[in-house]
Amino acid sequence: MNKNIKVERIALREWIAISILMLLLTVGLASTNVLKRIDLSLYDRFMQANSVPARDDIIIVAIDDYSLAELGKWPFARENHAALLRQLSAAKPLAIGIDVSFTEAEPVQANQANGDQQLADALNQNNVVVLPLSSESAGKGLSIVKPIPALASAARQLGHIHLELDQDGVARSVFLREGMNGEMWPQFALAMKDIGTKIAPGTETNLPGARAPASDHAKDSPALNNSTKASTAQNIQGIWQRDYQMHIPFYGNNGQFTSVPYVAVLRGEVPASFFKNKYVLVGPTAIGMADAYPTPVSGEDGNMAGIEIHANVLASLLDNRSIHFAANWQTSLYCFSAVLIALLGYLLLSPRIALVITVILFIGLLLISYVALREGVWLPPTAALFILIIAYPLWSWRRLEAAIRYLGEEFILLDNEPHLLPELQIDLDDEEKSRPLQDRLEQRIDAMQLAARRVRDLRQFVSDSLSSLPDATLVTTTDGNVLMSNQVAKDYFSSIGIPQVNDALVPYLFAKMSNPQAMDQTASNAFSWWHLLDLHQSKTMASGIEVVDPRSRDLLIKSAPCYSSSKELVGWIVSLIDITNIRAAERSRDETLHFISHDMRAPQASILALLELQQDSATALPQADFLSRIEKASRITLGLADNFVQLARAESQDYRMEDTDFQDILLDATEEMWTLTRAKNIRISSQIPAGDYPVRVDRALMTRALTNLLSNAIKYSPPNTIISCSLEYERGLAEASVICSISDQGYGIARADQPKLFQRFQRFRNGEQPKNDGVGLGMVFVKAVIDRHHGQISFVSAPNEGTTFNIKLPAFSI
């Protein structure tokens, strides 16, 4: 057990190192806001899912597209605003906020009432109106932009309309107080709340939002664009001050608050009771004129109008709702605790349970942050989530590394190894028994070491022996359940649609085979697959059972019993031997013997008969006729022998490959056919596009294959027809090919005969074509040559319509 001593406590040391690294990284990420953008994105998703019903005492009078269409282009005449205020004044609302800029006086036309004065009178009469102010940089420094004096003095209060934009450009918060040079103004919505609740400006208590540090109360800020109304301001000469940053708990997406068109209120179409004791916000929502900003809840719907954002702020102030962002130390502690729990689980629990704990913590962090946000506190979980994502794989990797260093070859040899035989009990050394408490990894290491001693030699022998067998072999239990199988067996059964071999029953593995036929013909005809596992059939199993599988392959199946050392039956060894080639050779032998006994004997017998007749002057033939018949019979015999020789060479391994252009081979083949074509007045037409057709072939055999195809085309075509030859270079995704097509206008091949075209000794003839002397080996030769060149041959034929052969060969890349 020296190895165990060397790696003692290796898992604990790995855990300590990884824990320190992960915890430090957690605190660093949580306290430095490195993942702030991701936290804000998660914050937005939670905010979208956290919508609540809006207050019904906040009404938006929207300057929408309908109002613009009815009243004309913007800006509206201020007498319209005055008339609107008079309509609203009659309803006695709690407060009115008009988010419209009145920084310049309205031009007065002759014979026209002063619109500014009318609006100022309406403001004085109403006495609950808040007007907006903002800041701008005019080039000499930061300045306050207020309504014109007549309107500013007539308004009940002025409120700033700045919104705080985060680094991703999303409006999530406002400062409830902003100003400069010692003068502070409330936020627009806060001013409305003060009026509605009758609180004097500046006397509010318990304002929500985080107080800025004293050093930040006078903080330089980026310049304000006059068109953005964002809260960020630039300090050129003065100092812009901000305090009470309130993160807005949005009530929902656009349209959450009740809204009525501006023109409907102006015309008196909305009853006065609708606005009684309510907060009314007047502002633009029309596309193109509204000051809109992206918000956490606007999502894919675009931006939210500024007047609706102010409605959310007002509702939050009235409901005493706000969102408090946890301090860095709180976020760090929150994330640190979750990661520490996960790390303790890695040390004390099994990998599976530790993974479950990690998933639970991951989901729990999201759930806690979501619930906390609903309660008004934002705890960013991203730092802990990031660490949990990388911690478990990192820890698992280190555990595996430790195990691999220790186990080495033992783990590879014993992976998924079943316990087949009884094993001796091996006691631990005393030194190992006295070791301190071990974690699960060290316990597994000890168990693997003991198991390796028990079965390594046996497994090595069984595995190597089984794998080295050339035939598919199965090792089963006594009832036929497969325990082990070599790769040959797995590949075979996968080829016939049975991907899972182990744990299957042997009789069912052979269910798709043909009926068993015992090699021992004296065996019972009632044999079934269960007899493979029957000791009474051992003699039959020694000879084997011959079957045909679903792919028409001939198999010989044998089984032999396997005994324990006590001579008890413990299982069976079943083997499958592929005898397809043997049976094919036997059939070929029988066909050849039949051919020799019939076709080759016939011309030889004719020669002998002629010689006998020639010896008798009464039956002797004229010399010329005698020699002609002898010559014809001899040529038939020679042709048959030549066909056998060429076919034997085509099926042998003796190929002399060379690089050549296929069009040269086709040209040689067509030239050899000149005499035959001239005799039948048949023309060979070659259509070969310009270019190269490189192939690597045995030129002599390939030329002979083409001449066979051309010869057949000539033989089985009537006179005065055309045989077309063409070449095509086809480039595919993986490889290129050369395609040769040979078409005739002959008698064609009957559909029933087409499946037998490439079989030995097959000759076809319909009623119209002349008789030929072929023996049916030519197409077998062509198929053998094409197959040995890793090519493909196909054909299309119909009676009296001709035949087209297509040869496809791999192109040779130079």
Side-chain angles (χ1 to χ4, degrees):
M1 296 297 174
N2 292 332
K3 281 188 176 182
N4 289 345
I5 297 174
K6 290 180 181 179
V7 298
E8 182 179 4
R9 314 309 299 166
I10 193 170
L12 180 59
R13 293 195 298 270
E14 292 279 355
W15 180 85
I16 292 174
I18 292 175
S19 297
I20 292 175
L21 176 62
M22 292 295 99
L23 292 174
L24 289 177
L25 186 58
T26 301
V27 174
L29 292 175
S31 60
T32 57
N33 291 326
V34 174
L35 304 175
K36 184 176 181 180
R37 280 186 176 270
I38 302 177
D39 276 322
L40 291 178
S41 177
L42 190 60
Y43 172 91
D44 294 348
R45 299 297 177 272
F46 286 171
M47 187 66 70
Q48 292 171 14
N50 196 26
S51 61
V52 296
R55 293 176 64 98
D56 58 3
D57 60 349
I58 297 177
I59 308 297
I60 296 176
V61 177
I63 304 173
D64 54 9
D65 293 320
Y66 172 71
S67 299
L68 292 175
E70 293 293 317
L71 298 177
K73 66 179 182 179
W74 182 259
F76 295 160
R78 292 184 183 173
E79 64 179 355
N80 288 339
H81 297 312
L84 179 76
L85 285 177
R86 287 192 290 271
Q87 290 283 356
L88 294 174
S89 179
K92 302 297 182 182
L94 295 176
I96 301 174
I98 302 180
D99 186 12
V100 178
S101 177
F102 300 113
T103 57
E104 295 180 359
E106 183 179 62
V108 180
Q109 303 293 334
N111 300 321
Q112 184 179 2
N114 189 324
D116 288 337
Q117 186 59 48
Q118 292 185 48
L119 181 57
D121 293 341
L123 291 172
N124 281 317
Q125 180 184 357
N126 196 293
N127 199 33
V128 291
V129 179
V130 178
L131 293 181
L133 59 81
S134 59
S135 61
E136 70 175 5
S137 174
K140 295 183 179 180
L142 198 65
S143 61
I144 301 298
V145 181
K146 297 181 179 180
I148 60 175
L151 301 180
S153 60
R156 175 72 175 270
Q157 281 197 48
L158 299 179
H160 77 81
I161 53 174
H162 300 156
L163 301 175
E164 180 69 8
L165 301 182
D166 290 326
Q167 59 186 5
D168 57 357
V170 178
R172 297 183 179 88
S173 63
V174 295
F175 283 88
L176 296 181
R177 290 194 174 280
E178 293 191 12
M180 62 182 299
N181 300 328
E183 185 177 9
M184 303 289 284
W185 288 275
Q187 204 275 338
F188 188 79
L190 177 60
M192 292 184 64
K193 181 203 172 191
D194 290 345
I195 295 173
T197 56
K198 297 180 174 51
I199 297 178
T203 63
E204 305 92 342
T205 58
N206 300 322
L207 284 177
R211 294 299 308 271
S215 59
D216 293 338
H217 285 184
K219 180 180 179 181
D220 293 351
S221 304
L224 243 190
N225 187 320
N226 193 32
S227 64
T228 63
K229 290 188 180 180
S231 67
T232 312
Q234 179 183 9
N235 178 12
I236 298 177
Q237 294 179 350
I239 297 178
W240 190 259
Q241 299 173 321
R242 302 183 297 178
D243 202 1
Y244 293 103
Q245 183 179 14
M246 170 188 170
H247 287 86
I248 308 169
F250 287 90
Y251 285 73
N253 203 346
N254 290 310
Q256 193 77 358
F257 291 88
T258 304
S259 175
V260 294
Y262 179 100
V263 67
V265 179
L266 182 63
R267 292 172 177 173
E269 297 173 359
V270 182
S273 60
F274 186 73
F275 299 104
K276 185 175 179 61
N277 294 327
K278 294 183 180 179
Y279 295 88
V280 181
L281 292 100
V282 182
T285 61
I287 299 175
M289 66 170 292
D291 50 344
Y293 305 92
T295 66
V297 295
S298 55
E300 298 179 356
D301 293 337
N303 299 332
M304 180 180 287
I307 193 67
E308 193 153 359
I309 297 177
H310 295 315
N312 278 275
V313 177
L314 176 58
S316 302
L317 291 171
L318 293 173
D319 289 338
N320 292 320
R321 293 178 70 232
S322 65
I323 298 175
H324 171 70
F325 273 48
N328 285 342
W329 71 269
Q330 293 171 324
T331 302
S332 299
L333 181 60
Y334 172 57
C335 296
F336 182 94
S337 301
V339 173
L340 181 60
I341 293 173
L343 292 171
L344 290 173
Y346 299 164
L347 177 65
L348 302 176
L349 303 175
S350 67
R352 180 182 300 177
I353 298 178
L355 177 60
V356 173
I357 294 296
T358 302
V359 173
I360 292 175
L361 286 171
F362 192 96
I363 298 174
L365 284 168
L366 293 173
L367 185 61
I368 291 173
S369 294
Y370 175 77
V371 173
L373 183 63
R374 288 182 63 92
E375 298 301 320
V377 178
W378 173 237
L379 284 169
T382 308
L385 297 178
F386 176 78
I387 297 301
L388 289 179
I389 290 174
I390 65 173
Y392 185 82
L394 180 62
W395 169 242
S396 298
W397 167 60
R398 294 311 304 161
R399 286 176 67 119
L400 288 176
E401 281 292 313
I404 289 173
R405 285 199 304 268
Y406 168 73
L407 297 173
E409 294 181 358
E410 284 101 89
F411 182 82
I412 298 174
L413 296 173
L414 298 176
D415 187 26
N416 298 323
E417 180 68 17
H419 290 206
L420 300 178
L421 298 177
E423 301 164 357
L424 297 175
Q425 181 65 37
I426 302 176
D427 294 330
L428 295 173
D429 296 338
D430 293 337
E431 187 175 7
E432 290 180 331
K433 293 181 179 179
S434 61
R435 277 209 279 168
L437 180 65
Q438 297 174 296
D439 74 345
R440 284 186 174 268
L441 175 60
E442 291 178 305
Q443 294 171 3
R444 296 291 175 85
I445 290 174
D446 288 340
M448 187 63 72
Q449 175 66 22
L450 294 175
R453 291 187 176 185
R454 293 169 183 158
V455 300
R456 180 184 298 137
D457 293 339
L458 175 61
R459 182 195 183 281
Q460 185 67 47
F461 173 77
V462 173
S463 177
D464 290 349
S465 300
L466 189 63
S467 299
S468 62
L469 293 176
D471 300 318
T473 305
L474 310 174
V475 179
T476 77
T477 60
T478 55
D479 56 0
N481 190 56
V482 178
L483 292 176
M484 301 174 63
S485 58
N486 61 0
Q487 190 60 43
V488 180
K490 294 176 182 177
D491 294 340
Y492 170 76
F493 283 105
S494 178
S495 71
I496 61 172
I498 305 177
Q500 184 63 35
V501 179
N502 290 359
D503 296 329
L505 282 174
V506 164
Y508 296 123
L509 290 177
F510 298 122
K512 297 181 180 180
M513 307 290 184
S514 65
N515 291 330
Q517 178 181 351
M519 295 294 291
D520 182 3
Q521 298 300 324
T522 62
S524 172
N525 292 329
F527 189 87
S528 73
W529 291 118
W530 290 102
H531 291 166
L532 288 170
L533 313 173
D534 189 351
L535 285 175
H536 297 95
Q537 301 291 333
S538 297
K539 184 178 179 180
T540 303
M541 292 302 97
S543 299
I545 300 300
E546 185 173 355
V547 298
V548 178
D549 74 357
R551 299 181 62 181
S552 300
R553 290 176 291 192
D554 297 298
L555 301 178
L556 183 63
I557 302 176
K558 298 182 178 182
S559 69
C562 180
Y563 296 96
S564 66
S565 58
S566 59
K567 302 301 180 180
E568 293 181 358
L569 181 68
V570 294
W572 294 86
I573 299 176
V574 181
S575 61
L576 292 81
I577 304 171
D578 190 343
I579 58 173
T580 303
N581 293 334
I582 297 175
R583 291 293 180 258
E586 291 176 351
R587 288 189 289 268
S588 177
R589 178 200 61 193
D590 294 341
E591 292 172 350
T592 302
L593 290 176
H594 174 76
F595 167 76
I596 291 175
S597 65
H598 183 270
D599 293 69
M600 292 196 72
R601 286 183 60 190
Q604 301 297 327
S606 297
I607 293 174
L608 291 175
L610 286 171
L611 290 174
E612 291 179 1
L613 290 174
Q614 198 67 20
Q615 292 176 2
D616 187 348
S617 59
T619 59
L621 297 174
Q623 186 70 15
D625 190 13
F626 171 73
L627 293 177
S628 175
R629 291 176 180 271
I630 292 291
E631 180 186 7
K632 182 179 180 180
S634 299
R635 287 188 181 277
I636 291 174
T637 303
L638 182 61
L640 294 174
D642 183 59
N643 283 338
F644 264 106
V645 171
Q646 291 297 335
L647 180 59
R649 184 185 171 194
E651 294 178 342
S652 71
Q653 303 297 327
D654 186 21
Y655 273 55
R656 300 176 179 86
M657 310 300 283
E658 60 179 286
D659 302 335
T660 186
D661 195 310
F662 197 83
Q663 61 182 326
D664 295 336
I665 300 176
L666 182 59
L667 180 61
D668 291 344
T670 55
E671 288 180 352
E672 288 188 26
M673 296 295 105
W674 183 84
T675 303
L676 290 178
T677 57
R678 185 176 179 83
K680 296 187 68 173
N681 197 24
I682 291 177
R683 183 167 61 89
I684 297 179
S685 172
S686 298
Q687 300 174 2
I688 305 176
D692 296 329
Y693 301 88
V695 291
R696 174 171 287 176
V697 297
D698 185 314
R699 182 160 183 163
L701 288 176
M702 188 58 67
T703 303
R704 178 62 180 267
L706 294 181
T707 58
N708 279 8
L709 291 175
L710 290 170
S711 176
N712 285 344
I714 295 170
K715 291 178 182 178
Y716 297 106
S717 295
N720 303 312
T721 57
I722 298 175
I723 297 174
S724 301
C725 302
S726 65
L727 285 180
E728 178 185 354
Y729 188 87
E730 182 182 81
R731 186 176 298 278
L733 295 177
E735 60 183 11
S737 303
V738 173
I739 300 175
C740 175
S741 298
I742 299 176
S743 301
D744 62 51
Q745 299 172 341
Y747 306 106
I749 306 170
R751 186 176 299 275
D753 294 332
Q754 291 181 10
K756 301 181 289 184
L757 180 63
F758 297 110
Q759 297 178 12
R760 292 171 179 259
F761 310 116
Q762 298 295 324
R763 289 171 285 191
F764 313 114
R765 179 176 177 271
N766 58 35
E768 299 179 2
Q769 70 185 52
K771 181 179 179 181
N772 286 287
D773 296 330
V775 295
L777 293 177
M779 295 309 299
V780 179
F781 169 81
V782 172
K783 184 70 165 59
V785 171
I786 299 303
D787 288 345
R788 289 299 175 90
H789 285 88
H790 306 289
Q792 301 173 11
I793 182 169
S794 60
F795 68 94
V796 177
S797 182
N800 300 317
E801 294 182 10
T803 303
T804 298
F805 283 93
N806 295 304
I807 298 175
K808 184 175 183 180
L809 295 171
F812 174 64
S813 300
I814 302 176

